[in-house]
Amino acid sequence: MPDPPRPENGTTRSTSATISPNILRYLGQITQEYGVDLRPVLSDVGLTETLMRSAALRVSYRQGSSVIRRAVELTGDEHLGLRVGAAQHLTAWGLLGFAMLAGDTLQVAIETGVRFQNVSGAMTVWSAGREGPDYVVRADLPDPVVDPSVGVFLVEEAFSSVVTLGRLAAGSGLAPQEVHFAFAAPHDVRPFRELFRCPVSFGAARNRMVVPQAWIHRPMPGRDPTTFASTLDLLEAQMASRRRQQDLLEVLEISVAQGLPVVPSFAEQARRHASSERTLRRRLAECGTSYEAIVDGVRRERVEQLLHRPHLTLREVARQAGFSDERALRRAVHRWHGMAPLQLREDLLAGQRRSPALVE
């Protein structure tokens, strides 16, 4: 299982465009039922209609979180994550969904999904295995201090999609033995009980789903050893390509973060990678991003980190984040968040005070 994104020299993977946008595509379908058009929200984070139709598109954790946050606000639906997860099909997971269908048992399907989760568009960190006599599937947030509404959405979507896809692949009678959520109980818990068809608890130490023993070793209806093996080979090749992309993006992010307040020039980055500028731009385009977008993402994260420190003046925040002056900082913050830096600081500090711990 891959490690969750982690702080590293002032930056994290949240700015890297490496996530398949499956969740955002289904989110767009569900919000239309509320009369909510997500296109302006997607546009605000650089995602056009043309890009959203591209099979090669990858989004960053930050882009995904921003869109989800606004969708929850605009729909006012506290169960939006459940609905998005329940709307999905195995085809949404592409080659991985096909491999899970061809697996020998439900346990093999689950562990294949965990192994190759980075190609599925997952925004939680999955793990699975034995806990005493139980077989448990776990979903953790990449960042324990993620915005609470986004965190709830992601965990709801994660478990809802897994149960929905499990029923499509293994049988409609599949139901967990029990489900535990780390977030507080919502006002209405009936949609959870109706979807999962089992006891559901809230305020738990961790997000966990217990899979019944009667199902875990049950043969999959679509099992095919030859197809399963050949599909795994293709998934391994995808993972290798994804790792190379992530390595490049992380190295560039770290380089920018370490250089702030001075941003290394693109020419300098190309020299560090023993590459021509043209080749490096092509490699970034293959990752669905650009050097300018990477710099913007790292600066944004740095600004948010600095605004959490009340003793810093805006002039100091601007200087440490590499902006020429406070006006440039204000323009950037307004572009990112639609508000002034001081208002953003108030929101960040207020959220820090009231945010519950969603995971351990």
Side-chain angles (χ1 to χ4, degrees), residues 199-281:
V200 179
S201 67
F202 299 89
R206 199 170 183 188
N207 302 300
R208 301 167 63 253
M209 178 185 295
V210 180
V211 183
Q213 296 294 331
W215 281 89
I216 200 66
H217 297 301
R218 182 175 294 195
M220 294 288 284
R223 64 190 181 281
D224 186 302
T226 303
T227 299
F228 182 68
S230 60
T231 308
L232 289 192
D233 288 341
L234 295 173
L235 286 167
E236 289 285 6
Q238 282 190 12
M239 286 285 287
S241 174
R242 182 68 55 84
R243 280 192 291 268
R244 288 192 294 271
Q245 291 183 351
Q246 286 181 331
D247 288 346
L248 172 63
L249 296 176
E250 286 182 38
V251 166
L252 289 173
E253 287 181 350
I254 292 168
S255 173
V256 172
Q258 289 178 329
L260 288 178
V262 178
V263 177
S265 68
F266 188 71
E268 184 178 348
Q269 296 287 18
R271 285 194 298 273
R272 292 179 182 178
H273 286 80
S275 167
S276 68
E277 293 182 44
R278 181 177 179 180
T279 298
L280 184 55
R281 286 199 186 279

Side-chain angles (χ1 to χ4, degrees), residues 85-153:
Q88 296 180 33
H89 303 283
L90 276 166
T91 50
W93 289 17
L95 199 59
L96 176 57
F98 194 57
M100 294 170 71
L101 277 173
D104 188 47
T105 64
L106 181 59
Q107 181 175 343
V108 170
I110 291 171
E111 292 176 358
T112 300
V114 170
R115 178 181 173 188
F116 296 103
Q117 61 185 287
N118 282 352
V119 302
S120 72
M123 291 181 68
T124 53
V125 180
W126 287 104
S127 60
R130 292 281 173 186
E131 290 186 9
D134 297 327
Y135 189 84
V136 178
V137 178
R138 296 171 291 269
D140 295 315
L141 297 173
D143 184 347
V145 294
V146 68
D147 180 279
S149 64
V150 174
V152 169
F153 174 96

